[in-house]
Amino acid sequence: MEKSYLTQDSFDNLLRWLNSDRERAGEKYEDIRFGLIQFFKSRGADSAEELADETINRVASKLPQIADNYIGDPTSYFYGVAKKVQLEYFRRQRSVVLPAEISSLEKEEYEVIYSCLERCLAQLPPKHRELLIAYYREGKLHRRKELREKLGVRSGALRVRVYRLKNHLEKCVRMCLEGK
């Protein structure tokens, strides 16, 4: 992902685009940044703050081309850019090559990790365990839609639930592997 940088001039232009009152513009900027961080966190990005900043930097760099003709709430534009930043991020994550010591784990090490995962899954309430398993087993979007409908929640709420459960599960597995 190509990094873009925010200059003082582009930051000032961004604030003017958000609101003519600098105080309100600053508040809106903070709200947008916080929302972007939550957006990236809810999708499992490890570097949510960096991705939010990259999104803001890209929007600011495009302002000379879009500001005069853009109609609507600028927040929507930020989220459109954020979706593209997210796609780039996950493409990079998939192309990362594991270090030799990780990729050459012995069968016994895999078994230990798997054993910890099973133990941690068993500690979850059945409802949560079933949700996690269904979410990742049925990774296709239409299957997740069925899962959302079954639970009666929106996609964002489902992602947040799964994100929280996954984080809890990861902590449990790490503690298990550390022997705690």
Side-chain angles (χ1 to χ4, degrees):
M1 172 167 54
E2 185 180 311
K3 291 272 186 197
S4 53
Y5 298 95
L6 192 61
T7 65
Q8 185 62 51
D9 285 341
S10 59
F11 182 67
D12 291 339
N13 289 336
L14 178 68
L15 290 178
R16 275 191 295 280
W17 187 55
L18 293 176
N19 197 302
S20 57
D21 178 335
R22 191 161 174 94
E23 180 87 16
R24 288 183 187 227
E27 291 170 1
K28 186 157 186 159
Y29 168 84
E30 287 299 322
D31 289 344
I32 289 170
R33 186 171 185 279
F34 178 78
L36 290 171
I37 291 168
Q38 297 311 307
F39 171 86
F40 289 116
K41 281 183 179 179
S42 73
R43 284 155 175 79
D46 295 328
S47 51
E49 289 187 11
E50 289 176 28
L51 295 173
D53 291 340
E54 177 61 21
T55 300
I56 291 167
N57 294 351
R58 288 186 188 189
V59 170
S61 71
K62 288 288 186 190
L63 274 183
Q65 292 92 14
I66 66 163
D68 293 337
N69 300 321
Y70 188 81
I71 299 171
D73 183 11
T75 305
S76 301
Y77 191 81
F78 282 91
Y79 284 97
V81 173
K83 288 177 184 176
K84 292 182 183 193
V85 170
Q86 173 197 359
L87 288 172
E88 291 173 15
Y89 171 78
F90 284 113
R91 273 192 208 115
R92 272 196 332 272
Q93 294 302 315
R94 277 187 243 139
S95 66
V96 172
V97 177
L98 293 174
E101 69 262 10
I102 294 174
S103 62
S104 65
L105 287 174
E106 298 293 325
K107 182 179 178 184
E108 298 83 31
E109 291 174 281
Y110 279 116
E111 288 173 1
V112 169
I113 294 169
Y114 188 76
S115 172
C116 283
L117 176 61
E118 281 185 322
R119 185 177 316 149
C120 291
L121 275 170
Q123 292 174 6
L124 289 174
K127 186 170 103 175
H128 293 158
R129 180 175 51 247
E130 290 165 10
L131 172 62
L132 266 177
I133 291 170
Y135 186 85
Y136 285 107
R137 179 181 47 218
E138 301 176 12
K140 305 244 185 227
L141 290 178
H142 70 279
R143 299 267 168 99
R144 289 188 181 167
K145 181 180 179 190
E146 291 170 7
L147 186 58
R148 287 192 313 268
E149 289 171 355
K150 177 182 170 187
L151 295 170
V153 298
R154 294 179 180 222
S155 62
L158 178 62
R159 280 194 303 269
V160 169
R161 281 187 195 178
V162 170
Y163 173 77
R164 289 177 179 159
L165 288 170
K166 187 179 102 177
N167 278 348
H168 175 77
L169 189 63
E170 286 176 359
K171 288 176 188 171
C172 178
V173 170
R174 273 194 221 104
M175 288 175 55
C176 175
L177 291 172
E178 293 170 1
K180 295 181 180 176

